[in-house]
């Protein structure tokens, strides 16, 4: 057995047992002496991608494409690697080449749509994602990213529908729940917003983003006790959560519990927390506690940060 075959086998065994660092050790040795072995470069892309080493993965992808210029999958890997390293325009070129070779691959279309979205080419992003959905209507990520693109174009109804479809396909898709709740809130659809946050919490009762969204809604509609209950739940999960602490102080002030609100604010001030919501509450309370000078100092520090 020659060294290349030995290194490759050891790498495959390490991958199978989940020892990715060891796998990369053997793959690196193999790459040094077998620059023309496509399988080694494919494994290197896979392993380094899983390790989060996007730079090495991207370098391996570049080499893989040189070895296999007619392989649409290789070009798709290259596009994904370039996108992960922040080279969106180069990624789009790679995805375009991948689609010339493999025009019916949903994942390439989805990743291309994401790259286009990042460079504000929203109409092209929508087109790419719709093409992906036509090929694979069950892909929740395609629907989620379509929603993001639609929102960027001001197509709020389309974005909401796409988010609902993404959630229907994958109820555990946290980002979709969060985007839907926030979008409905921004759109003034408060009853739908309430239902969206409650539905999200049915899938994950301890997700802080869902609890914060529901607390914010309850505050706006004047259901202060319900808002405080959500903030209490958040602080049970994470006692030092700043948005929850600020929101709690805000609601206490709105309820007229000024001493409790001011006490909460002083706790945050002692921790040197700078937050716009906190500044607003502090400003509303300052005249009650002769804290005008402190408020001016606080706001000045917040602006200068």
């Amino acid at each position: 057995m020659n060294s290349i075959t030995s290194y490759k086998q050891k790498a495959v065994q390490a991958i199978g047992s989940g020892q990715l660092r060891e796998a990369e050790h053997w793959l690196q040795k193999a790459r040094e002496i077998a620059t023309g072995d496509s399988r080694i470069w494919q494994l290197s892309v896979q392993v380094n991608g899983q390790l989060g080493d996007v730079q090495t993965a991207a370098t391996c992808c570049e080499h893989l494409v040189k070895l296999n210029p007619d392989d649409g999958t290789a070009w798709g890997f290259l596009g994904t690697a370039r996108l992960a390293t922040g080279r969106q325009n180069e990624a789009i070129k790679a995805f375009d080449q991948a689609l010339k070779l493999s025009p019916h691959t949903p994942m390439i279309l989805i990743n291309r749509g994401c790259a286009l979205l990042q460079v504000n080419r929203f109409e092209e992003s929508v087109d790419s994602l719709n093409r992906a959905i036509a090929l694979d209507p069950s892909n929740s990520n395609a629907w989620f990213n379509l929603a993001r693109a639609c929102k960027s174009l001001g197509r709020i109804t389309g974005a909401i529908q796409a988010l609902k479809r993404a959630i229907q396909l994958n109820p555990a898709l946290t980002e979709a729940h969060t985007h839907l709740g926030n979008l409905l809130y921004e759109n003034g659809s408060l009853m739908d917003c309430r239902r969206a946050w409650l539905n999200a919490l049915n899938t994950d009762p301890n997700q802080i983003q869902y609890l914060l969204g529901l607390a914010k809604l309850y505050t706006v509609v004047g259901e202060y006790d319900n808002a405080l209950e959500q903030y209490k739940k958040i602080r049970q999960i994470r006692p030092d959560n700043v948005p929850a602490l600020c929101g709690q102080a805000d609601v206490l002030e709105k309820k007229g519990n000024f001493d409790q609100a001011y006490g909460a604010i002083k706790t945050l001030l002692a921790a040197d927390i700078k937050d716009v919501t906190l500044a607003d509450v502090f400003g509303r309370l300052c005249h009650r506690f002769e804290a005008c000078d402190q408020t001016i100092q606080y706001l000045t520090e917040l602006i200068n940060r």
Side-chain angles (χ1 to χ4, degrees):
M1 182 184 299
N2 62 37
S3 297
I4 298 171
T5 303
S6 175
Y7 292 155
K8 193 189 301 185
Q9 285 187 355
K10 289 178 179 178
V12 170
Q13 289 171 358
I15 293 169
S17 60
Q19 299 177 46
L20 298 180
R21 294 288 178 191
E22 182 181 345
E24 170 54 12
H25 168 75
W26 294 115
L27 287 169
Q28 186 175 9
K29 286 182 173 294
R31 292 197 299 269
E32 291 171 356
I33 58 176
T35 57
D37 189 323
S38 294
R39 180 57 177 159
I40 290 172
W41 294 99
Q42 289 171 349
L43 290 171
S44 296
V45 171
Q46 174 189 336
V47 168
N48 283 286
Q50 289 178 306
L51 287 171
D53 187 348
V54 293
Q55 292 293 347
T56 300
T59 300
C60 292
C61 282
E62 299 282 357
H63 199 96
L64 185 60
V65 164
K66 289 179 182 177
L67 292 174
N68 301 281
D70 297 324
D71 185 347
T73 300
W75 280 101
F77 285 154
L78 178 58
T80 302
R82 287 176 174 176
L83 186 59
T85 53
R87 295 180 287 163
Q88 290 90 343
N89 288 317
E90 292 178 55
I92 292 166
K93 290 179 182 178
F95 289 134
D96 287 343
Q97 182 61 28
L99 289 169
K100 288 179 183 178
L101 298 165
S102 303
H104 304 300
T105 307
M107 190 52 62
I108 294 174
L109 287 162
I110 293 169
N111 289 336
R112 179 176 179 270
C114 291
L116 290 163
L117 183 59
Q118 289 183 23
V119 295
N120 300 329
R121 291 164 61 178
F122 303 127
E123 288 285 4
E124 293 171 87
S125 177
V126 167
D127 177 70
S128 190
L129 292 162
N130 274 325
R131 287 166 61 191
I133 289 168
L135 291 167
D136 182 9
S138 65
N139 192 299
S140 60
N141 284 323
W143 285 100
F144 171 66
N145 285 294
L146 177 63
R148 294 173 60 213
C150 286
K151 183 186 176 185
S152 297
L153 288 167
R155 301 172 186 170
I156 304 304
T157 299
I160 290 171
Q161 291 174 345
L163 286 169
K164 288 181 177 179
R165 182 58 177 153
I167 291 167
Q168 184 181 32
L169 291 166
N170 182 6
L173 191 57
T174 302
E175 285 186 300
H177 283 292
T178 302
H179 275 69
L180 179 60
N182 289 334
L183 186 55
L184 289 167
Y185 179 87
E186 293 166 9
N187 198 45
S189 305
L190 299 185
M191 290 300 295
D192 288 339
C193 178
R194 183 198 297 256
R195 282 192 289 269
W197 288 127
L198 291 173
N199 179 52
L201 285 165
N202 281 334
T203 67
D204 186 353
N206 295 319
Q207 175 55 246
I208 287 176
Q209 290 302 316
Y210 303 165
L211 292 166
L212 282 171
L214 187 58
K216 182 179 179 181
L217 173 68
Y218 281 143
T219 302
V220 166
V221 299
E223 296 184 27
Y224 298 138
D225 289 337
N226 283 334
L228 288 173
E229 182 63 26
Q230 307 315 307
Y231 288 131
K232 179 181 177 182
K233 290 178 182 177
I234 294 169
R235 295 195 62 191
Q236 288 173 344
I237 299 166
R238 186 171 299 170
D240 60 348
N241 184 273
V242 172
L245 289 164
C246 293
Q248 187 177 47
D250 181 35
V251 174
L252 288 168
E253 190 276 336
K254 284 181 167 67
K255 285 193 67 175
N257 297 347
F258 303 119
D259 288 322
Q260 291 182 55
Y262 196 64
I265 285 176
K266 286 196 292 185
T267 300
L268 288 164
L269 292 177
D272 195 32
I273 300 298
K274 298 291 183 286
D275 183 274
V276 174
T277 300
L278 181 58
D280 177 53
V281 181
F282 197 12
R284 298 202 305 267
L285 285 169
C286 71
H287 67 284
R288 297 180 180 276
F289 296 93
E290 299 179 355
C292 293
D293 291 340
Q294 287 177 269
T295 305
I296 292 170
Q297 179 184 351
Y298 180 86
L299 293 172
T300 302
E301 292 176 358
L302 180 62
I303 291 168
N304 290 334
R305 285 206 166 191

